Amino acid sequence: MSHQLEAAAAGRPPKKTSSLVKGLKKTWPLHVLILPGFIIAIIFHYVPIFGLIMAFEDYKPWLGFFKSDWVGLKHFHSLFMFDESVQVIWNTLIIAVLKIVCGLFVPIVFALLLNEVRKTGIKRGIQTLVYLPHFLSWVILGGILIDLLSVKGGLVNRMLMDLFGAKPIFFLGDGDWFRFVVVVSDIWKEFGFGMIVYLAAIAGVNPSLYEAAEVDGATRWKQTLHVTLPTMLPIIIVVATLQLGNVLNAGFDQIFNLYNPLVYSKGDVIDTFVYRSAMLKGDFSFATAVGLFKSVISFVLIVISYRMAYKFANYRIF
């Protein structure tokens, strides 16, 4: 108070404590709480960005970043010249698009079917069962699938032979079958988690709309078609557009735990290709160039998807 009186007597405006300082005085414990996570994010997500310089060098670990020869865009040219790398990009697009399309359609259908179950106990039990695989890692599920789909003694092949007299199928050794296994197993693992969003959207439907439709003589199918689906449409558009950013993410964990050299031609994706190039072949510069290419394209797609989500569904984060 005395400082304000002295300032007024001297003809100077009194000093005011900034709102930022006042806010920090009240919320500093929260900032301290978030500090460890912030430091970890800086160390593991931002500091490694410096390593992208390897994409423009003929990097040698014993020479380091500053003494390795600068080659410019050489590795990016090689990315599109090698038949193997081009095939990897196509594999990634095919597998990722199939996962996105099927992963969007299956949860919607299952949510609509589960919504028709009237007994709460049965409904919750089914929801728990289909949601459970989401919490299992691909290390565990990969081992289970390898045993189930084995040519010799695998449960699936034994059933095919006993029930239909079919010959054993090499699911994890044939490229086409491998893609099928990858897409189906990914849907089985994740559709229960994705279904929760649509069940929440269905729960938000005004019951009076169903009552009005029933009065007009609409069957359950007609109510679903003209009431439930239109109400779910905004969230479907949001999920579909946001999935656009995952076009180049075919699932490293899953494919790494399932694939083998027999299916490289149709099952190898960008992430596994980068891993083999860097960790097994020691070609760090080329692997970094491939990873940077994927990251830039994914970033552009994410920006486009968020703009589309805002335009068509009025969805925005900020």
Side-chain angles (χ1 to χ4, degrees), residues 22 24 39 54 58 72 86 97 104-105 109 115 130 136 152 160 166 200 222 229 265 269:
K22 289 181 179 179
L24 287 176
I39 294 175
M54 288 190 294
D58 187 12
V86 174
V97 169
L104 181 68
F105 177 74
V109 173
N115 184 58
V130 299
L136 300 177
K152 296 181 179 180
L160 289 175
K222 292 291 185 180
L229 280 177
S265 61
V269 295

Side-chain angles (χ1 to χ4, degrees), residues 70 86 131:
W70 185 267
V86 174
Y131 184 59

Side-chain angles (χ1 to χ4, degrees), residues 98-114 130 183-196 198-199 202 232 236 239:
L98 288 174
K99 283 186 176 182
I100 290 173
V101 174
C102 298
L104 181 68
F105 177 74
V106 173
I108 294 173
V109 173
F110 201 86
L112 293 173
L113 294 174
L114 191 60
V130 299
V183 174
V184 172
S185 60
D186 181 76
I187 294 171
W188 168 70
K189 183 178 185 295
E190 300 295 342
F191 86 93
F193 181 77
M195 180 186 66
I196 294 175
Y198 303 113
L199 286 176
I202 293 173
M232 295 171 60
I236 293 175
V239 173

Side-chain angles (χ1 to χ4, degrees), residues 244-245 294-307:
L244 180 62
K294 176 199 168 184
S295 298
V296 171
I297 299 300
S298 297
F299 175 75
V300 173
L301 292 175
I302 288 173
V303 173
I304 293 174
S305 65
Y306 273 94
R307 293 298 301 172

